[in-house]
Amino acid sequence: PCGETRELKLGWLSTSMKRLCLWGLLIPTVGSALFGQTPIIISVVDRFAGGTKLTPGGLADVLGTNLSNCEWQTPCSSAPTVTVGGKRAFFLSGSASDLLIEIPVDAPLGATPLQVGNSAPFNLTLSQYAPALSANPAGSQTVAAAHADGQPVTDASPMLPGETLMLTAGGLGPTDPVVPTGSFFGAVKTTTLPIVTVAAEKCITGVHFSGLVAPGSYQINFDCSNAGAGDQPISVTIGGASSNALTLPVGPTAIIGISNSASGAAGIESGSWASIYGIALSATTRPWGPSDISGNNLPTTLDKVSVLINGKKAAISYVSPKQLNVQAPSDTATGPVLVQVQSPSGVANGTATLQSYSPAFFTSQGKYAAALHNTDGVYVAPAGYFGSAATSRPAQPGESLQIYGTGFGPTTPTVPAGQLVISPAPLLDLTQLHVTVGGVPATVQFAGIVVPGEYQINVIVPQLPDGDQPILATIGGLSSQTGVSIPIEN
């Protein structure tokens, strides 16, 4: 509405502005300079980076003398008339020596004259794209960027690789729809997606949004998981034009937690699968592939990421910035041990507890035990549970199921961690393993390692009524996680 007061926040600029119906009609032209004196333009520079690369719709500082009586008042009854290529610019605020304007969005490209009131024309060169980054604080080399909560990125609060940041920028060009000069809209997307480069790595796949959020001010939401720790160079490219380069503080690799991959329990077992959670653990996200396995040996380095548990190399099956899945190396030690992750972003240390047993079932969506019908290999789950991806059906009392987990202890023969399993290796002492379904003991026909770190337990389903029945395994005085079920249908 006319006369509505709006708070304009551009990261580096915060000022209260009055929204007018027709800016051009309501801003007088007679007060275009210090009364009775001719404005003199010395230079026109981009508001964000201070350079002379300018674009229609961008913010610019007009520097000179006798430019305005406003002294940074907004709105100002004696605001000067500024034109670019004959088009009316939007006056934000200013003083006798500095005017902050938005260049008209319909100003012509190429050599274009700018005038303040009756000043002599000052020639500009406008380009469709003139990307520019601003610094925070002003005059520093740290880029103006914010975390998702709006707090600024600083050396004390750096970017964490993989997190999404909000980057303030100028000169990103046209939007769809076009936003009229001086208008306040919600976020409007740019017609072209910029490329954000951090530490020489293009993060285009991490650009989630690019748009105009205030007159002349754009916002880029992006993440870049492959940036190394420290003050990293950052720049923006769009339409073949590149911005100035500033620095982005990036946090180092850190370990937040280590747990059993199947259950999330804190204890892990030699040869079992463990998950390491943290920050900047990897520059990439992927599981291992056939080319990563050499002979019978599983990879202990994946995309320049390696893990030591109690000083021994762990096999790595999956890497991402926030999670690693590893097979704990063969070790007779128990109790707290050092876990060390070495990644492109640095080295991080954590602590895990090695146990003789760490029994846990793998699950389907955290609800049903990962299991197959022994007769035909169909998944054990309610019919249609996986949609068109896989066939499933509930278990029947009296039938045999193959149930999968990790951390069930020693086998005979011993299966070294970090190597392919040539043939199934049964548990060293099957009598120690007890499985119940629905609270009723189930007959265990076989239990042993069938693939690296993964155990198969064959059980006969006891007589139970229809419905989801809880399953629990106990060995070495420790039990598998609760909340896991087997669906039963008679």
Side-chain angles (χ1 to χ4, degrees):
C2 300
E4 176 189 5
T5 299
R6 301 289 295 272
E7 189 72 14
L8 176 63
K9 293 185 177 180
L10 307 180
W12 42 266
L13 171 66
S14 180
T15 182
S16 183
M17 300 194 67
K18 187 82 69 176
R19 184 179 183 181
L20 307 178
C21 296
L22 295 172
W23 293 99
L25 295 179
L26 295 179
I27 298 178
T29 61
V30 294
S32 62
L34 291 175
F35 293 118
Q37 300 185 46
T38 301
I40 299 173
I41 303 171
I42 297 174
S43 64
V44 181
V45 297
D46 167 71
R47 178 68 174 188
F48 287 84
T52 57
K53 296 180 180 179
L54 302 167
T55 183
L59 295 180
D61 281 297
V62 181
L63 307 177
T65 58
N66 308 327
L67 298 178
S68 172
N69 286 306
C70 292
E71 293 303 325
W72 300 107
Q73 299 172 36
T74 304
C76 176
S77 60
S78 59
T81 299
V82 182
T83 61
V84 181
K87 307 291 185 178
R88 186 68 174 270
F90 174 46
F91 172 85
L92 282 92
S93 56
S95 66
S97 60
D98 186 351
L99 305 180
L100 175 59
I101 66 166
E102 181 191 4
I103 298 172
V105 296
D106 55 350
L109 299 178
T112 308
L114 179 147
Q115 285 185 280
V116 178
N118 61 348
S119 72
F122 185 91
N123 288 327
L124 309 176
T125 300
L126 298 183
S127 303
Q128 187 173 39
Y129 300 101
L133 299 175
S134 63
N136 184 27
S140 73
Q141 286 298 304
T142 301
V143 70
H147 300 282
D149 61 2
Q151 295 301 307
V153 176
T154 63
D155 287 333
S157 179
M159 172 188 179
L160 304 179
E163 84 164 307
T164 297
L165 295 186
M166 298 178 290
L167 186 66
T168 301
L172 299 186
T175 61
D176 185 15
V178 175
V179 178
T181 306
S183 297
F184 292 87
F185 274 56
V188 180
K189 292 183 179 180
T190 57
T191 57
T192 301
L193 198 66
I195 296 171
V196 178
T197 302
V198 179
E201 296 288 346
K202 291 183 179 180
C203 306
I204 186 170
T205 56
V207 175
H208 310 297
F209 168 80
S210 169
L212 192 67
V213 293
S217 182
Y218 298 79
Q219 179 176 307
I220 302 171
N221 295 352
F222 79 101
D223 67 69
C224 195
S225 61
N226 49 357
D231 286 343
Q232 300 294 347
I234 181 171
S235 61
V236 172
T237 302
I238 187 169
S242 297
S243 73
N244 54 317
L246 294 173
T247 59
L248 175 69
V250 180
T253 297
I255 294 175
I256 296 174
I258 305 166
S259 64
N260 182 299
S261 291
S263 66
I268 63 174
E269 180 219 344
S270 169
S272 67
W273 285 106
S275 294
I276 301 172
Y277 301 95
I279 299 164
L281 298 176
S282 170
T284 61
T285 299
R286 73 174 181 95
W288 63 15
S291 62
D292 298 308
I293 299 173
S294 176
N296 290 331
N297 297 317
L298 305 178
T300 55
T301 299
L302 203 60
D303 293 358
K304 300 181 180 179
V305 176
S306 59
V307 176
L308 295 178
I309 298 179
N310 199 27
K312 299 175 174 61
K313 291 183 178 181
I316 305 177
S317 69
Y318 173 81
V319 295
S320 73
K322 297 182 180 180
Q323 179 178 339
L324 307 177
N325 291 343
V326 303
Q327 186 188 21
S330 298
D331 200 331
T332 57
T334 57
V337 294
L338 176 67
V339 177
Q340 187 176 79
V341 174
Q342 183 168 354
S343 80
S345 296
V347 176
N349 294 324
T351 302
T353 301
L354 276 180
Q355 301 174 171
S356 299
Y357 299 92
S358 181
F361 290 118
F362 292 112
T363 64
S364 298
Q365 302 178 16
K367 184 175 183 180
Y368 296 110
L372 302 175
H373 293 273
N374 206 23
T375 53
D376 54 13
V378 170
Y379 287 101
V380 178
Y385 187 72
F386 301 105
S388 60
T391 303
S392 60
R393 70 173 186 272
Q396 288 186 322
E399 77 163 311
S400 177
L401 303 181
Q402 301 172 13
I403 307 173
Y404 295 90
T406 193
F408 285 91
T411 61
T412 180
T414 300
V415 178
Q419 294 186 9
L420 295 176
V421 176
I422 306 303
S423 59
L427 288 186
L428 181 62
D429 185 359
L430 185 61
T431 63
Q432 290 194 54
L433 176 62
H434 303 281
V435 177
T436 61
V437 181
V440 178
T443 300
V444 179
Q445 298 172 304
F446 167 83
I449 290 180
V450 291
V451 295
E454 184 172 313
Y455 293 74
Q456 176 181 314
I457 302 172
N458 292 4
V459 301
I460 296 178
V461 180
Q463 295 299 317
L464 294 165
D466 290 357
D468 293 344
Q469 300 291 345
I471 181 170
L472 196 71
T474 302
I475 190 169
L478 297 173
S479 295
S480 60
Q481 74 269 39
T482 59
V484 181
S485 300
I486 295 289
I488 303 294
E489 185 176 280
N490 284 271

